[in-house]
């Protein structure tokens, strides 16, 4: 089980992960991704799914046509951890 981020660590995420925002009263981070079409969105989701399997950390997400919404939280720890930050950073690295 991972250790929850401190308030200072959560607040610093705006500099580390500027495209992500705090959600669920600071217990998760989220980001909305928009693509050209459904095919690009689905391809991105496939890459994230493979990444999630490798990292053994699976996002809460949804897809509507060209939009993918991802929310990250470490459920076993009860909130936001460094594991979520690593996952968000890895997801961002999948983008062109």
């Amino acid at each position: 089980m991972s250790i929850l981020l401190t308030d200072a660590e959560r607040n610093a995420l705006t500099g580390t992960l500027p495209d992500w925002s705090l959600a669920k009263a600071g217990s998760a981070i989220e980001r909305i991704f928009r693509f050209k079409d459904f095919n690009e969105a689905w391809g991105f989701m496939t890459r994230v799914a493979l990444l999630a399997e490798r990292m053994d950390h699976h996002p809460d997400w949804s897809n509507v046509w060209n939009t993918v919404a991802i929310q990250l939280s470490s459920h076993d720890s009860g909130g936001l951890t460094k594991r979520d930050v690593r996952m968000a950073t890895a997801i961002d690295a999948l983008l062109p």
Side-chain angles (χ1 to χ4, degrees):
M1 184 164 33
S2 300
I3 298 172
L4 294 176
L5 295 181
T6 65
D7 288 341
E9 289 171 323
R10 275 195 307 276
N11 292 336
L13 290 177
T14 56
T16 309
L17 298 169
D19 297 317
W20 293 79
S21 58
L22 290 174
K24 293 187 177 181
S27 65
I29 52 176
E30 63 186 3
R31 182 172 175 188
I32 306 295
F33 298 85
R34 288 196 171 73
F35 298 93
K36 181 179 75 172
D37 55 26
F38 179 75
N39 190 49
E40 279 191 13
W42 190 265
F44 173 72
M45 290 181 72
T46 300
R47 291 189 301 279
V48 172
L50 294 170
L51 174 68
E53 281 297 300
R54 282 193 309 273
M55 295 181 75
D56 192 29
H57 190 46
H58 304 88
D60 292 334
W61 61 0
S62 65
N63 165 242
V64 177
W65 188 57
N66 71 335
T67 304
V68 177
I70 297 179
Q71 196 170 87
L72 299 172
S73 181
S74 293
H75 303 290
D76 61 340
S77 298
L80 195 56
T81 69
K82 289 182 181 179
R83 188 172 186 212
D84 304 303
V85 174
R86 285 192 300 274
M87 183 69 176
T89 301
I91 290 170
D92 285 351
L94 295 174
L95 298 170

